[in-house]
Amino acid sequence: MSKKTFITISFLLSSGLLFSQITFQGFIKDTLVPYQRTNTADIDNNGTDDLIIGTIDWDSSDFFPEATKRNMEIYLQSEDGYFVLHQIFKYDSLADVLTIDVVDLNNDNIVELILGYSNKVGIFFQDSLHQFKKHFEYEVYASVKYVSIADINNDSLNDILVSDWAHQEFTILYQKSDGSFNPHKIIPEINGGLYEPELVDINNDGRMDIIYLANLFWDAPIYVLLNDPIHGITNKSIGILKEFKLLDFRSYEVGYVNSDSLIDIVATSGGNTGSVGNNKPQINIFYQEANKTLKFEHKTIDAFDVPAEIKIIDMNEDNINDLIIDHNGWRTVSVYEQSTSENFSDITKLWNYTGNYTSDYDWAFGDFNNDCKTDIFIPALGSIMFYMNTTDFSCNTSGSNEINNDFKDNELAINIYPNPAYDKLFVTLPEVSFKNITIDFYNNLGVLVENNKLNENINEINVANFPSGIYHYIVRLKNRIITNGRIIKI
């Protein structure tokens, strides 16, 4: 049964002036699935954000059914804010997915799926039914840890940057006009892990550069490989934050923090609350200075315990970016709202997410109930978490602040048992009219295997002919999804 939590987060300036209030409504649902990676995009071009979720084989655990491991699950959102499971497919049988990117690679207005797993980068194209199928696979020397995608050589085709962190080298897959890729390797002068590489025009010259985190030198962890107009990206590593000598560096993000149209950098550092000196938990904002190549002004904000992943995003549609922080190991996320005077709240209230925790989880940002507000989705081992944005601001929408989709249990008390099932499955309904209620069963490939009408208070379904495995079920009232889940057929 889903748990429902209501969360209100308010922000105060140090001067005592009240920011506009950002609020969220949280929904948690337990699953039998080891989720870990996620991303969002409009897959079927209907103007709504869809979800892509990847599962892993968590420490080769027997806690989760084998059929749920190393799958990609595709959920499409309808225009009225409902999610429906659209496709399940195995991306690999031997390695866990580490990266999920969704982008229009070949400029055909249809997004492709780019996955990193083991030492491979897999590219999956859509067919006419929006089903993903593997089109291309490229192997690096050791292991794919990070992927970034942009047009690097200004030929109007997206290229793929791959960080082979174990072998300390970058591979750029330059896309050719025929859709194939030409690999080019770069070994930076300073590597130290090549963590979290991003393709961004850091010096505002119209060409994508590589920025990355090197873990060898704690006093100068962020480096840039500039994209030369003649020679392209070189291996000369430029330490752009050397003078700040930050220690206990954790994660960073590049983007527009203020309104000067120059790329800035935000980074997290420090340990637990109460730590002092270089171990003090804080958010570091590096504002790029105008008319000074790769020079930055440093500002800090006190943070909660162990700030880790950080995101630059506008959460309340005021055209001013805010900061979202994950606190590694504490199952906690915090929001720092930016005011029109470019000040951030220095105290935030936090909210907890639950489930089987892994410190290496992912998150996705998008409009997950079609009300034009940015929401947060977090997959975990055995659960999923939505934070629906309920902030009060003007927004043209036909949606609502509720989440109405495959992930939320309906108020109707529907019970499906036994699970696992051998030959019979029973579905009990509340004392309501039983007209137009159906249950559909889908196999692990997302193919519909059976449809049944539910006409009684207790409905018996024969599953004896189902092959053993995991099946996804969807219960609908007319065409509206009222609950869904999984059963195991033994």
Side-chain angles (χ1 to χ4, degrees):
M1 180 66 66
S2 291
K3 306 169 188 176
K4 185 182 293 186
T5 307
F6 295 88
I7 304 99
T8 300
I9 303 175
S10 61
F11 301 88
L12 297 175
L13 282 169
S14 58
S15 62
L17 297 178
L18 187 66
F19 279 151
S20 60
Q21 188 179 56
I22 294 180
T23 58
F24 290 87
Q25 188 175 10
F27 298 96
I28 303 170
K29 183 171 183 179
D30 296 330
T31 69
L32 290 174
V33 181
Y35 291 123
Q36 187 159 1
R37 291 285 176 258
T38 188
N39 210 327
T40 182
D42 184 5
I43 292 173
D44 54 354
N45 286 334
N46 72 338
T48 62
D49 290 326
D50 307 312
L51 274 171
I52 305 96
I53 317 175
T55 70
I56 63 169
D57 185 1
W58 183 47
D59 296 331
S60 299
S61 171
D62 293 330
F63 179 81
F64 299 103
E66 191 65 32
T68 68
K69 300 174 182 179
R70 291 174 178 154
N71 291 331
M72 297 305 300
E73 297 187 1
I74 312 297
Y75 290 85
L76 299 184
Q77 183 181 178
S78 64
E79 293 181 3
D80 54 358
Y82 288 86
F83 279 102
V84 175
L85 178 64
H86 177 68
Q87 183 186 9
I88 301 177
F89 65 90
K90 288 280 185 186
Y91 57 84
D92 194 78
S93 60
L94 299 176
D96 292 341
V97 64
L98 295 176
T99 67
I100 299 177
D101 289 274
V102 195
V103 66
D104 181 6
L105 273 178
N106 53 1
N107 299 324
D108 61 354
N109 296 317
I110 300 174
V111 296
E112 282 75 49
L113 183 62
I114 300 92
L115 305 179
Y117 44 90
S118 184
N119 67 329
K120 302 171 184 176
V121 176
I123 300 175
F124 297 76
F125 278 23
Q126 292 189 56
D127 62 18
S128 59
L129 298 177
H130 304 295
Q131 299 274 327
F132 287 100
K133 297 180 180 179
K134 187 179 294 184
H135 171 74
F136 173 84
E137 192 171 73
Y138 179 81
E139 294 186 6
V140 300
Y141 181 81
S143 59
V144 175
K145 181 66 173 178
Y146 304 99
V147 170
S148 187
I149 300 171
D151 179 8
I152 297 175
N153 55 354
N154 287 357
D155 63 353
S156 300
L157 295 173
N158 279 317
D159 310 302
I160 303 173
L161 172 69
V162 182
S163 172
D164 186 347
W165 68 279
H167 199 233
Q168 305 295 299
E169 68 181 21
F170 289 123
T171 298
I172 300 177
L173 300 177
Y174 286 106
Q175 187 176 182
K176 297 191 291 187
S177 58
D178 62 0
S180 61
F181 292 85
N182 182 30
H184 174 69
K185 296 185 183 299
I186 299 175
I187 301 177
E189 290 177 337
I190 298 176
N191 39 59
L194 307 183
Y195 293 95
E196 302 183 44
E198 295 287 346
L199 289 168
V200 62
D201 182 8
I202 191 68
N203 58 351
N204 206 29
D205 66 350
R207 300 178 66 85
M208 289 293 176
D209 312 299
I210 300 176
I211 184 171
Y212 66 98
L213 179 64
N215 239 9
L216 281 180
F217 304 98
W218 293 94
D219 61 341
I222 294 182
Y223 291 87
V224 169
L225 303 180
L226 291 177
N227 194 342
D228 183 82
I230 299 176
H231 302 100
I233 292 180
T234 67
N235 71 332
K236 183 178 180 181
S237 301
I238 302 174
I240 57 175
L241 304 178
K242 294 175 64 175
E243 65 268 32
F244 301 111
K245 299 185 182 299
L246 294 179
L247 297 182
D248 205 8
F249 215 89
R250 294 191 176 274
S251 185
Y252 80 100
E253 169 94 339
V254 293
Y256 299 104
V257 178
N258 55 14
S259 57
D260 63 2
S261 300
L262 296 174
I263 293 290
D264 307 308
I265 302 172
V266 294
T268 55
S269 62
N272 294 318
T273 298
S275 300
V276 297
N278 291 326
N279 198 40
K280 181 180 180 180
Q282 63 184 16
I283 302 166
N284 303 273
I285 305 176
F286 301 96
Y287 295 103
Q288 188 167 179
E289 298 183 31
N291 303 317
K292 295 182 180 180
T293 303
L294 300 183
K295 294 296 181 181
F296 295 83
E297 177 187 352
H298 184 204
K299 176 182 178 180
T300 62
I301 302 173
D302 291 343
F304 179 68
D305 280 331
V306 196
E309 296 297 320
I310 186 167
K311 181 75 173 180
I312 303 171
I313 191 168
D314 181 6
M315 293 301 295
N316 57 355
E317 299 297 326
D318 60 356
N319 296 316
I320 302 172
N321 278 328
D322 310 302
L323 300 178
I324 313 292
I325 314 294
D326 158 55
H327 302 274
N328 193 3
W330 292 98
R331 304 186 184 188
T332 305
V333 177
S334 59
V335 180
Y336 290 75
E337 183 184 9
Q338 185 174 190
S339 69
T340 54
S341 59
E342 298 182 356
N343 291 315
F344 287 88
S345 58
D346 55 8
I347 297 177
T348 67
K349 292 185 178 180
L350 308 161
W351 66 93
N352 295 326
Y353 56 86
T354 62
N356 293 294
Y357 177 73
T358 169
S359 62
D360 191 24
Y361 75 94
D362 207 354
W363 53 7
F365 296 81
D367 180 3
F368 300 131
N369 55 351
N370 203 24
D371 66 350
C372 84
K373 299 176 183 180
T374 301
D375 310 307
I376 305 173
F377 172 70
I378 299 175
L381 297 174
S383 67
I384 54 177
M385 181 77 205
F386 281 96
Y387 290 108
M388 310 310 294
N389 191 338
T390 58
T391 307
D392 185 15
F393 58 84
S394 177
C395 192
N396 295 323
T397 177
S398 59
S400 69
N401 286 333
E402 291 288 326
I403 178 170
N404 301 308
N405 57 44
D406 270 9
F407 302 109
K408 179 187 173 185
D409 287 339
N410 188 266
E411 294 178 356
L412 291 177
I414 297 175
N415 191 22
I416 299 177
Y417 63 93
N419 191 7
Y422 179 68
D423 57 353
K424 293 180 181 180
L425 193 69
F426 296 92
V427 182
T428 62
L429 302 176
E431 295 294 338
V432 297
S433 172
F434 302 119
K435 294 181 179 180
N436 301 314
I437 299 180
T438 61
I439 184 169
D440 296 333
F441 293 92
Y442 299 84
N443 65 17
N444 202 37
L445 299 176
V447 177
L448 177 67
V449 296
E450 186 159 309
N451 170 272
N452 291 270
K453 291 183 178 181
L454 304 178
N455 299 316
E456 306 293 339
N457 178 236
I458 300 178
N459 300 268
E460 179 180 315
I461 299 174
N462 185 358
V463 296
N465 293 327
F466 284 25
S468 297
I470 301 292
Y471 291 86
H472 183 89
Y473 65 82
I474 298 176
V475 179
R476 292 181 172 91
L477 174 60
K478 295 183 179 178
N479 290 322
R480 179 179 178 180
I481 295 174
I482 56 177
T483 192
N484 83 110
R486 286 176 171 80
I487 65 163
I488 302 174
K489 168 60 171 63
I490 57 176

